[in-house]
Amino acid sequence: MTTHHHLPGTQGERLLQQYLGTADRASGFYDRQVKPFLTAEMRDFLRRQSMVFLSTAGADGTCDAGFRAGPPGFVIDLDAQTLTYPEYRGNGVMAGAGNIVENPHIGMLFMDFTHHHIGLHVNGTARLCGDEEQRRRHPHLPEEPAPGRRPEMWVHVTVEEAYVQCSKYIPHLEPAPRPRATAPRPKDADYFTGSAGGGEHPLPSAPAEVPDAHAHAHTRAHAGVNAPESR
């Protein structure tokens, strides 16, 4: 039996676990892996990460998936229960931040594609803070190295659960400088809208052969790579 007084996850998870016969295995995962705070190892991992995938939803359940990137450790662990990251001027839509105004629940996924091929899920509740307010409360926040580039606000996250994303299907990516463009392409604002001028700059076609990430992961698994379970 699990030792959790209140199991992590949702009622939907547990219904499916009962239906598929995985309740005992899931209970073991909850006990071993799901923490209500950031462990020292998780905090060390976060300080090396330069990207995060975000999930939010509005009050009516409308979802948004987001992506943020920055220098390693740009998502700052203020303590074992708290994270914060900056929001900069973008397209002005504020889809994710707008969802947080209505519904504070947030999911964060940090992925190491280059070294240990492991991921970390962090789920919690978020609120928005002005830059001056956040710096007044946390004066050790880093200054931005680029002149004139200051956050419009900060997202302040209270951690509710954190757990591993297994390595089995995480592809390996090699860090490299962004290559110089060899052919013209539409501007970002026109890329998916068809407003680049009647095909004047056609979208690039996919490579003839794309490596199969699942086959690559299958090879790694049979080469003796043992990965922890993931929820």
Side-chain angles (χ1 to χ4, degrees), residues 14 69 192:
R14 290 182 281 281
F192 295 114

Side-chain angles (χ1 to χ4, degrees), residues 131-172:
D131 185 52
E132 290 185 6
E133 173 192 359
Q134 192 74 328
R135 292 184 186 278
R136 185 169 59 251
R137 292 182 177 180
H138 306 283
H140 66 285
L141 292 176
E143 295 292 334
E144 294 299 323
R149 187 173 181 261
R150 287 184 71 88
E152 291 194 328
M153 65 184 77
W154 292 76
V155 179
H156 189 90
V157 180
T158 299
V159 176
E160 295 179 346
E161 62 176 22
Y163 58 93
V164 70
Q165 165 66 44
C166 73
S167 65
K168 188 174 183 180
Y169 294 115
I170 297 177
H172 177 70

Side-chain angles (χ1 to χ4, degrees), residues 170-219:
I170 297 177
H172 177 70
L173 304 180
E174 290 286 348
R178 181 180 292 194
R180 297 181 62 180
T182 57
R185 73 163 178 87
K187 295 180 179 179
D188 289 3
D190 301 328
Y191 201 93
F192 295 114
T193 62
S195 55
E200 180 181 353
H201 301 298
L203 299 183
S205 58
E209 295 184 5
V210 178
D212 187 337
H214 289 273
H216 173 64
H218 180 77
T219 301

Side-chain angles (χ1 to χ4, degrees), residues 87-92 94 149-153:
E87 287 278 19
Y88 297 99
R89 181 179 179 181
N91 58 17
M94 301 293 180
R149 187 173 181 261
R150 287 184 71 88
E152 291 194 328
M153 65 184 77

Side-chain angles (χ1 to χ4, degrees), residues 8-151:
T10 64
Q11 183 179 2
E13 284 183 32
R14 290 182 281 281
L15 286 172
L16 283 175
Q17 290 162 14
Q18 292 293 333
Y19 177 74
L20 297 172
T22 65
D24 288 344
R25 184 151 51 99
S27 178
F29 180 86
Y30 291 149
D31 278 336
R32 292 191 308 272
Q33 299 290 350
V34 182
K35 307 297 181 184
F37 57 87
L38 300 169
T39 66
E41 294 82 1
M42 291 174 180
R43 295 177 71 180
D44 181 64
F45 176 83
L46 290 173
R47 292 165 190 164
R48 302 193 304 269
Q49 303 313 303
S50 59
M51 66 180 76
V52 62
F53 301 91
L54 304 170
S55 63
T56 59
D60 62 354
T62 302
C63 297
D64 181 74
F67 173 78
R68 298 291 183 273
F74 80 100
V75 177
I76 300 164
D77 60 308
L78 297 175
D79 54 50
Q81 209 75 50
T82 317
L83 296 175
T84 191
Y85 65 89
E87 287 278 19
Y88 297 99
R89 181 179 179 181
N91 58 17
V93 174
M94 301 293 180
N99 280 344
I100 290 170
V101 171
E102 297 184 2
N103 174 359
H105 296 290
I106 188 170
M108 311 174 76
L109 176 59
F110 300 86
M111 298 286 280
D112 176 355
F113 293 103
T114 61
H115 295 93
H116 293 169
H117 307 97
I118 198 79
L120 176 66
H121 295 261
V122 178
N123 297 325
T125 55
R127 61 183 175 86
L128 306 179
C129 301
D131 185 52
E132 290 185 6
E133 173 192 359
Q134 192 74 328
R135 292 184 186 278
R136 185 169 59 251
R137 292 182 177 180
H138 306 283
H140 66 285
L141 292 176
E143 295 292 334
E144 294 299 323
R149 187 173 181 261
R150 287 184 71 88

